[in-house]
Amino acid sequence: MTHMLFGFGFTCLTALIVIVGDTLLKLAADGDHPVTSTLVLAGCAIYAVSAIFWLYAMRHVTLAQAGVTYSMVTLLALCAIGAFWFEEPIRAREVAGIFCALSAMLLMVRFS
């Protein structure tokens, strides 16, 4: 069970790192920054760091479990950031996506 918790922990950490990178890239896109701007380069560097944590996540859980967890965490966080920070509306499509992600997570989790 501890092995699986490490895997989900690394997966969530990977997702949080990518969320920071995504937020930087969104700020760059909204500010019409060039591809060589500091925000874009920082976002790309953060993505590279996330690959290291992804490697450790996959050592402890299956790719399917890591993928579903990663997708769920990023979906929820990016929807919240989009709604509250960038003032983007959350419509029925996003609500349905959140429901599907949470349902998938429940189906994919294996208890030891």
Side-chain angles (χ1 to χ4, degrees):
M1 184 68 164
T2 305
H3 199 60
M4 185 181 281
L5 290 176
F6 277 125
F8 286 121
F10 281 122
T11 303
C12 290
L13 185 57
T14 300
L16 292 175
I17 292 168
V18 168
I19 289 163
V20 171
D22 284 343
T23 303
L24 291 174
L25 293 175
K26 176 66 173 168
L27 289 169
D30 283 355
D32 201 26
H33 291 272
V35 175
T36 57
S37 73
T38 304
L39 285 174
V40 174
L41 295 176
C44 291
I46 288 171
Y47 279 153
V49 169
S50 74
I52 296 166
F53 290 99
W54 188 245
L55 172 71
Y56 286 110
M58 290 189 292
R59 288 184 177 178
H60 298 284
V61 292
T62 67
L63 184 58
Q65 290 172 320
V68 169
T69 303
Y70 172 84
S71 297
M72 183 197 63
V73 171
T74 55
L75 174 69
L76 293 173
L78 292 175
C79 281
I81 290 169
F84 296 111
W85 190 347
F86 295 104
E87 298 177 0
E88 298 171 348
I90 295 181
R91 297 188 176 92
R93 178 182 60 193
E94 286 86 5
V95 172
I98 291 168
F99 175 77
C100 289
L102 293 174
S103 298
M105 182 63 192
L106 290 174
L107 293 172
M108 294 299 296
V109 173
R110 294 183 197 168
F111 295 100
S112 298

